[in-house]
Amino acid sequence: MKFSLAALVVVLALAHGSQAAQCPEVEKLTQYFQDLSAQLTSTTQELVQKIQSETFLEDGKAQLQQIQAKLAPLADDMQAQLKPLAENMQAQLKPLVDNVQAQIEDLFRKVMDQTKALSQ
């Protein structure tokens, strides 16, 4: 019985020793898997954020297209209404602008003539 107890102690000591020798390898593997898990978590979070931002941009583009579709007919209608008004105003203002231009040219000629007369 003493022999069995001594053998058991030796076997336990050897088993503990072999486990102690394997411990650094187990620690390295544990650290490797922890690092891998952290990297996987980080990459997953980045991917989720990227997908969310792309979804946000796509939603924004869709909303802008809807707004553009609603405003395009209004803009065309406004342009159709304002074009005759602008043409009418241009037709009314053209004679006035031509008259003012003629008066300024006449005034400029008079100033030039007076300047020539003074210099002689």
Side-chain angles (χ1 to χ4, degrees), residues 80-99:
Q81 290 178 5
L82 291 176
K83 187 174 182 180
L85 179 63
E87 289 172 352
N88 185 22
M89 287 182 66
Q90 186 177 10
Q92 290 179 3
L93 290 176
K94 183 163 178 34
L96 295 174
V97 170
D98 291 343
N99 185 18

Side-chain angles (χ1 to χ4, degrees), residues 8-48:
L8 181 63
V9 170
V10 169
V11 169
L12 288 174
L14 288 174
H16 181 68
S18 67
Q19 285 180 352
Q22 291 177 353
C23 190
E25 292 174 5
V26 171
E27 287 179 13
K28 286 180 184 178
L29 282 175
T30 302
Q31 185 63 40
Y32 173 77
F33 284 117
Q34 287 174 347
D35 293 344
L36 187 62
S37 175
Q39 186 177 8
L40 183 62
T41 302
S42 173
T43 304
T44 303
Q45 288 174 349
E46 290 173 7
L47 185 60
V48 167

Side-chain angles (χ1 to χ4, degrees), residues 67-81:
I67 291 170
Q68 182 183 13
K70 290 178 182 177
L71 291 179
L74 293 174
D76 292 341
D77 187 40
M78 286 180 66
Q79 185 177 10
Q81 290 178 5

